[in-house]
Structure formats: C-alpha cells, structure tokens
Amino acid sequence: MVRETNKYFKFDWITIILFLLLVGFGWLNILSASHTGDTIDYFNFSQPYGKQLIFILLTFGLIVIILSIEAKFYERFSSIIYIISMLSLVGLFLFGKNVNGATSWYAIGGMTLQPSEFAKAATALAVAKYVSDLNTDIKRLKDQIQTFIIIVIPAFLVLLQNDTGSTVVYAAFFFVLYREGLPKIYLNLVVIAILLSVLSLKFGAIITSIVSIILIIAYHFLSKKKPPILQSLFMLIMCIGLAVGVKFFYQSILQPHQQDRISLWLRLEKDPVKLEQMKKTFAYNLNESEKAISSGGVTGRGFLEGTRTTGKFVPEQHTDYIFSTVGEEWGFLGSALVVIIFVLLIIRILHLAELQKSQFSRVYGYGVAAIIFMHFLINIGMVMGLIPTIGIPLPMFSYGGSGLWAFTILLFIFIKLDSNKINEW
C-alpha cells in the first residue's frame, strides 16, 4: 500500500499544550483582576473576563482555520500578507481610533482591532520569505539593507501611531538574522549603541564623547591588529554623533511623559520634590504593581484573595500589568511557573525551528520565538521595574482579542509549517 505522505500531518502537541496552559492561566488571572463583586457571573460579557472568554472560544475556530490551510500557502502568499498588513497600518492614520494617546485601533461596532499586533506575524513571514530566497545572501550588504527595510517599515508606521512598545518588539528580528549569518559586527554595534545611549542620558553627551575618544584611541594604539586610521576616525565620529543625537532625541523628540519614564528609570531627576511628584504621577502603576507582587510572598494569597488586586490598586492590571496579579495571588511559586512555561515554549519553538528542512520554516520559527521572547522580557521587566514602562502585553496572557488572536496566528502558522516538514525535501 502506498502511503500518501502529503496528507500526513503531525502537530507538535507539546507546543499546543504550553499555549493552552498560558491562555487558561491567563484567563484565571484576568478574572481575578477584573471581577467587581463577591458573585462572579462567568458569562457576563460586559466584563473583561467575559469578553476574554469569547475571544478564547473564537481562538479555537481560528486555530482550526490556520491548521486547515495548506502549509505552502503561507510561504507563497507571504508577500501579499505583508502588503495587506502594511496597508492596514497606513489606514489607521485615516480611520484609526485614538486610545490613551495612541492611534492603533480600528473601531468595529462595539469592538476594536489593533492591526499592529497582526503586523508582527506578517513581518515574520516576509522576512522568512526574503531571507530564504535562493538569490538572498544575508552576508551581502545589499540583502542586509533590503531585509532591514522589510523590518523598519512596520516599525516606523507603528512608531508614528505613538505605540513605542510595539515598535521596540521589531528589534527581535535581529536575533533571527544573526542566526542566519548576519555578521557579528552588528551585534557589537548594537551593544555599543545601547551603552552609549545610556551613558549619554545619564552623564551627558560631553562626558560620553570624551570616554569614547579615550577608548577608541586606546583601541587604535593597543590593538594587536591596528585598524586603519580612517576606520578609527569614522568610529569616533559615529560615537560622538550618537551621544549628541540621543540627548537631542530625548530632549526634543520624545513626549514629556516618555521623558519622565526614562528619567525615573535612570534616576536622572536631581530635584527631590520633582522626583517625588514624578513617582506619584508616572510610577504609580509600577509602585502598586511592585507592592502587589511583594505581598504575595512564596505561595501567594490565593485565587481571588489578592487584596490589592480586588481593591483595584493597580490600574490596567488585566492588560499590561497582569503579571502583578500572578505575583500577589499565586506568589513566587506561581510566578516562577509562568516564567518556566514561557521559557519552555520559547525553547521548544527554537528546537523545532532547528529541525525544519526548509529555510523558510526555520527563519519563521526563529521569528516566532524572538517575538514572544521580546514581549515576555519587556512585559515582566516593566512590571518589576527593571526597564521603563512602555506598555506591552504578556503574550497569550494579557486581556485583549487582538493580542490573543495575533499570537495565535503567529504560533499556529509555525505549528502548521512544522507538521508539514515530513513532506519537505
């Protein structure tokens, strides 16, 4: 009997189970963070937990559709999907709804849809398609520039919508390109740029420039393989330009509330009275989040028993600050469990990506892992005060239909591609 391998699909149930654990546990915490009384009506669709339940039920239909489509469809039509996604971002400037200062939503009846969430999956597909093309060599400057353009276009459109958090996520594609052979010099440049930016904001452009001059002169004369003088001079000009540019960007381009959040993070404000006022105004969410997490102790206060959660001390707790609910009600053990599930999911995706026979599937798999990792890192770091507050959801966990569906699409396209690897040659 001839076996029809093209009809044989094997889905990775470990990844699916990890996804379901995050979605289910996330809903329990949304319920805790949003219920308003002693009696809970699980089907009260006027409350966030009721709406999220609808989103979750619709997600299962979305999963069926994604897994029913032929795997090659996602590769063949990746460019069209990307173009449609970019048009949806452009359309926001004409038809978008402004929420909390960001024009990132389409209002559809009583619901809102955030296309920037779906643009991440579209960009991952487009990057995978371009990098896996036979004529593309990521080590060539021309192909590097074209790949960067694919990534920068959605990032720039999202930035214009005043959605800084979603913009930062596009830096995740650096890890994808690095895996595919992007020269190491880019990694060095990114690290240097971050260090110079922080130094410039913390100590000023002049001091940062002086430090750069000393280090580059020392590198030029002490290096075993002395670089050309023009190369050292170019590095010096770039470092000074970055130091001055970052300071200018901070003072003249960023919104006042964005400046204050960075100022609080780096402790730039010297006036104790103004600093205290900034903490009350811009760090209120963070302070209440930290109090909620610390009050949970080792084992937590128990499900629906968190006093700071039920008292609504943490604004937007069911969205960006959902992890503070975990910390208070489930304690260190529950928080550690959530972190472990996320880490296992990311590792599993990377493992499956390495097993792919096609470069397209591998690159896309790395894109999925990188995007989830960036969201996970920024959200938990933000909630714990390790990085500035920029507003970004915890994948599969925070409240919101757009976020849940976008991550579902992102992840299950890869699950479909992985299931089809037996048919790849």
Side-chain angles (χ1 to χ4, degrees):
M1 181 177 67
V2 179
R3 183 174 165 182
E4 297 183 9
T5 57
N6 62 332
K7 294 183 179 179
Y8 177 82
F9 297 102
K10 182 181 179 183
F11 302 124
D12 185 71
W13 285 99
I14 294 178
T15 303
I16 295 174
I17 290 171
L18 292 172
F19 167 82
L20 294 175
L21 286 174
L22 290 173
V23 172
F25 195 32
W27 182 79
L28 289 177
N29 286 276
I30 292 171
L31 172 63
S32 293
S34 61
H35 81 91
T36 56
D38 295 331
T39 302
I40 299 176
D41 180 3
Y42 294 97
F43 300 99
N44 183 354
F45 301 128
S46 65
Q47 294 296 323
Y49 61 83
K51 294 178 182 177
Q52 189 72 6
L53 187 59
I54 295 178
F55 297 149
I56 292 173
L57 293 176
L58 292 175
T59 297
F60 289 106
L62 184 61
I63 290 172
V64 172
I65 294 173
I66 295 171
L67 297 182
S68 299
I69 296 174
E70 182 187 359
K72 283 296 181 181
F73 170 87
Y74 300 108
E75 182 175 0
R76 291 194 193 106
F77 293 93
S78 57
S79 299
I80 296 176
I81 294 172
Y82 177 79
I83 292 172
I84 293 174
S85 181
M86 296 308 102
L87 290 176
S88 71
L89 292 177
V90 173
L92 287 169
F93 299 106
L94 299 175
F95 310 106
K97 179 182 179 181
N98 190 291
V99 179
N100 296 327
T103 311
S104 303
W105 288 265
Y106 286 112
I108 305 174
M111 296 179 57
T112 56
L113 193 67
Q114 188 175 7
S116 60
E117 293 291 342
F118 300 93
K120 298 164 192 173
T123 305
L125 285 170
V127 169
K129 177 65 174 177
Y130 183 76
V131 172
S132 62
D133 190 277
L134 292 176
N135 297 321
T136 300
D137 183 358
I138 201 62
K139 296 180 181 179
R140 288 199 308 243
L141 181 60
K142 176 179 72 71
D143 293 329
Q144 292 167 11
I145 293 174
Q146 292 184 5
T147 307
F148 291 150
I149 290 174
I150 294 173
I151 298 169
V152 167
I153 289 175
F156 181 69
L157 291 173
V158 171
L159 182 62
L160 291 178
Q161 299 163 16
N162 199 26
D163 187 358
T164 309
S166 294
T167 303
V168 173
V169 171
Y170 286 89
F173 288 101
F174 172 81
F175 300 107
V176 181
L177 300 180
Y178 188 68
R179 163 62 182 83
E180 294 304 311
L182 191 70
K184 191 178 180 180
I185 182 64
Y186 289 99
L187 177 62
N188 297 333
L189 290 175
V190 169
V191 173
I192 292 172
I194 293 174
L195 291 175
L196 287 177
S197 299
V198 173
L199 286 174
S200 179
L201 294 174
K202 187 71 175 176
F203 303 106
I206 296 177
I207 294 178
T208 304
S209 299
I210 293 174
V211 172
S212 300
I213 292 171
I214 294 173
L215 292 177
I216 290 174
I217 291 176
Y219 171 75
H220 180 80
F221 289 102
L222 299 180
S223 178
K224 294 181 180 179
K225 187 178 179 181
K226 184 179 292 188
I229 185 66
L230 289 178
Q231 179 179 330
S232 298
L233 184 61
F234 176 75
M235 291 172 58
L236 182 60
I237 294 173
M238 291 297 293
C239 288
I240 295 175
L242 180 63
V244 175
V246 166
K247 197 70 175 180
F248 173 79
F249 182 81
Y250 172 77
Q251 295 176 340
S252 305
I253 304 298
L254 289 181
Q255 301 286 338
H257 70 278
Q258 294 172 326
Q259 295 178 14
D260 289 333
R261 287 171 178 174
I262 294 176
S263 179
L264 281 171
W265 178 53
L266 295 177
R267 304 294 189 267
L268 302 181
E269 182 57 55
K270 305 301 181 185
D271 185 348
V273 177
K274 187 176 179 180
L275 179 61
E276 190 62 30
Q277 182 62 37
M278 289 169 59
K279 286 182 178 179
K280 292 179 180 179
T281 305
F282 296 100
Y284 176 79
N285 287 22
L286 174 60
N287 291 335
E288 293 301 325
S289 172
E290 291 176 341
K291 290 176 183 178
I293 293 174
S294 62
S295 69
V298 176
T299 58
R301 293 179 175 271
F303 181 52
L304 301 178
E305 298 296 328
T307 56
R308 307 199 73 84
T309 295
T310 56
K312 311 302 177 187
F313 285 92
V314 185
E316 305 299 327
Q317 191 171 11
H318 59 292
T319 56
D320 296 345
Y321 283 87
I322 190 68
F323 191 72
S324 64
T325 306
V326 180
E328 182 178 25
E329 297 196 345
W330 306 88
F332 172 79
L333 294 179
S335 301
L337 177 62
V338 172
V339 171
I340 289 171
I341 294 174
F342 269 108
V343 171
L344 288 176
L345 176 62
I346 293 168
I347 291 175
R348 183 64 182 177
I349 294 171
L350 292 174
H351 171 70
L352 294 176
E354 287 296 337
L355 296 178
Q356 301 305 304
K357 297 178 181 179
S358 74
Q359 187 181 13
F360 174 84
S361 298
R362 182 180 72 238
V363 175
Y364 181 77
Y366 266 85
V368 174
I371 291 171
I372 293 176
F373 170 74
M374 190 66 75
H375 268 266
F376 163 72
L377 179 69
I378 293 176
N379 180 273
I380 293 184
M382 174 188 71
V383 171
M384 299 180 68
L386 301 177
I387 61 176
T389 300
I390 58 176
I392 193 171
L394 190 60
M396 288 83 73
F397 218 89
S398 294
Y399 168 80
S402 294
L404 176 60
W405 295 338
F407 279 106
T408 299
I409 292 171
L410 179 75
L411 180 61
F412 277 85
I413 286 177
F414 178 65
I415 291 175
K416 178 64 176 183
L417 294 174
D418 174 70
S419 71
N420 191 54
K421 67 176 178 289
I422 191 173
N423 298 318
E424 298 286 353
W425 295 95

